[in-house]
Amino acid sequence: MMIGVAGILLILIITSGCIAFAGNTPELQPVSDEHTREMQAALYPVIYLITDEMDDACSLVMKTARELDGKEANDPDVRLALVKLRRDIPSSFEAGLFDADDTLIASTEDLGATMEIGAGKATHHYTEEDFKAAGSRCIVSGYTTLLHGDNGFTFTAPVYDDDGKYNGNLRVGIDTWALFAGINEYLRNEYGYTIWVTQENGLVIYDPDSQEIGENLISDTLYQIPSLQSAVKKILTDPSGNASYFFHDPTWVNFVQTNTVWGTVSPGYGMTWKIVLSDNVPEKTSGDPEEMRTPEELKAFVEEAYVYAQKEGKEKALAAFNDPRGEFSDGELYIFAYDMDGVTMALPYQPGLIGTSRWFIEDPSGVKIMQRMVSRAQQGGGYLCYLYPNPDHNYAQEYKLSYLMPVDDTWFIGAGSYIQNSPLSNSEYIDWQAREDLTYQVRNMQYIAATEGIPSLTAMIKDPTSSLQIDGLYPFAVAENGTVLACSLKPWLDGTNQLGRTTALGVSLFREMISTAREGGGVFYCLDGDPGSSDAQYMLIYVEPAGASVCVGSMLIIG
């Protein structure tokens, strides 16, 4: 709903009685039929697309379940089938096989402390009768915590033994952010609209502001605005339609009218979603943004704050960092602080977020911002790039460079600056289909490594005509010790050790690839070259582990 990270501040204002929504908001203005038709024309292809994607995913899960019928959990074919299924559904997290008692007996990776093989239990229990009622459709869960600790929903299909007796079930966790964020960016950039998605019980399963995911439109204090509640009632009740409501603009000073249209999607048995398209996207303003701080200035500013924290102690330092008029807040440049679990400790312009966890916040490309920050801090600190709303440009998502530094082993500090001439800070955005291709290619490399071996995989990476290749993507494989096994973008690096090679920002790109793979895989940006220069190269990189000693990945060059 584009409610924004200042929502907690609004809760305080509402509950203190400073705003009386019923009497102080202007009247809703009528919406022209032409505008409604334009919004519907943008929404309907999204409804069809999501419906097709869910039908395809359900078919793949059912097909794989039939391949697993009669197989023992320790059969090597079981894990290969799970790896292949995860490859073929780009929005999936992990895939797991459960016995009839809902105990995990096989999965695509070692889930470790999150869910132990042979002991971990699924959060939703389904019976044989449930699967009979579902017929040929997968059962779709509500938004929940999945196998590896992230949040999303699951497709579940039954598995039978050789005699046709119910023997367990196959579950695939789906990342709602991966499913919707790319489509949302397309709509935002091409049409000036965004989408948010809710279950029929009012639980938000996707919103462009990831902090809003998991909130309930009906019961949460944040949403208790009469016009909004009226719209929510219609959205949750009617299969389709249009409605308008008031909410705050990004400055949280004025009310703005938001107009919406919506449609209904049934992703599988037992679940219904409402996909809502809204027109409250603020236009990017040019203005006169502050001059970008150099990487050296960022580092010096953070180091100054580090010295202050070491000298004055944690309590006094956090008080200083949270003062928007203090010495550690200078316009765009300010110190933020988090603990190693992603809980906010200092954020001078968003004090309502103090004490809240931001562990799951992601940018539009799927970069897990807080998790990358914590990882960088635990490695001793350094630079990190991500997309983040820029207040100077009406909260448009822009490319931000931050420098991070651990204060001790329990918390860290940082500061950042927007790179104004980055492709992602202007008119470009990452196409969602290219992002899905990136995911598919890397997971295909995992599958090839498991079925044909690393030598066959590296030969395919080096061969520009192999079936592995996808236009615009540059696959690679790196050994855990830093030796490049194959790199399609820079083949002259093959056979060399690149752990010591760093970018202009002092970041060891290959060390970053390896550490991200060790953590289970993920997406991150790389800025190779001097920020602000015309020859700087921006890349989105996705990596995954391929066995215990090899990292596989691919690069998407931006701009």
Side-chain angles (χ1 to χ4, degrees), residues 348-359:
Y349 300 112
Q350 297 168 333
L353 290 176
I354 302 301
T356 64
S357 173
R358 307 191 76 195
W359 184 254

Side-chain angles (χ1 to χ4, degrees), residues 79 442 445-450 453-459 461 475-487 510 512-521 542-553:
R79 187 175 184 280
V442 175
M445 293 165 71
Q446 283 185 303
Y447 183 71
I448 294 169
I454 295 297
S456 294
L457 172 62
T458 56
I461 294 173
F476 60 84
V478 184
E480 192 173 45
N481 66 1
T483 299
V484 179
L485 303 178
C487 181
F510 288 88
E512 181 86 346
M513 294 171 179
I514 294 166
S515 65
T516 303
R518 284 176 182 165
E519 294 166 4
Y542 177 42
V543 297
E544 289 276 4
S549 59
V550 175
C551 157
V552 296

Side-chain angles (χ1 to χ4, degrees), residues 180-191:
F180 293 110
I183 297 171
N184 182 76
E185 281 304 289
Y186 169 77
L187 289 169
R188 182 204 301 268
N189 285 276
E190 298 297 329
Y191 297 101

Side-chain angles (χ1 to χ4, degrees), residues 233-292:
K233 184 177 180 180
K234 288 182 64 179
I235 290 168
L236 298 182
T237 303
D238 299 341
S240 62
N242 62 285
S244 301
Y245 56 85
F246 284 113
F247 211 84
H248 277 254
D249 68 5
T251 68
W252 292 84
V253 174
N254 303 305
F255 284 110
V256 292
Q257 178 170 325
T258 297
N259 306 304
T260 64
V261 296
W262 69 89
T264 301
V265 169
S266 177
Y269 180 78
M271 184 53 56
T272 300
W273 297 337
K274 299 303 179 77
I275 300 181
V276 185
L277 182 138
S278 65
D279 65 357
N280 66 334
V281 181
E283 292 185 11
K284 180 175 177 178
T285 57
S286 54
D288 294 314
E290 297 185 26
E291 183 178 351
M292 176 189 164

